[in-house]
């Protein structure tokens, strides 16, 4: 029984760590997208075709 609890504890800790990493990567990607889009909008007058 003790082995099952140890496995569940390690699995839960791993899932929390992965969740935090995914959250940080998602927020970073969102911020970079917003900054890139704002930069494109700011310089749209300079684009000529």
């Amino acid at each position: 029984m003790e082995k099952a609890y140890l496995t569940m504890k390690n699995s839960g800790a791993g899932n929390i760590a992965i969740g935090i990493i995914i959250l940080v990567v998602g927020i970073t990607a969102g911020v970079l997208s917003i900054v890139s889009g704002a930069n494109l909008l700011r310089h749209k007058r300079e684009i000529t075709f």
Side-chain angles (χ1 to χ4, degrees):
M1 216 35 143
E2 199 172 308
K3 189 174 180 181
Y5 286 123
L6 183 62
T7 302
M8 285 191 294
K9 179 179 131 184
N10 289 338
S11 177
N15 285 340
I16 290 173
I18 290 172
I20 290 171
I21 290 169
I22 290 173
L23 181 70
V24 169
V25 168
I27 289 172
T28 303
V31 168
L32 287 176
S33 294
I34 291 170
V35 169
S36 176
N39 194 18
L40 285 172
L41 286 175
R42 186 174 43 187
H43 294 292
K44 75 178 181 181
R45 291 186 191 140
E46 299 170 9
I47 298 174
T48 56
F49 291 101

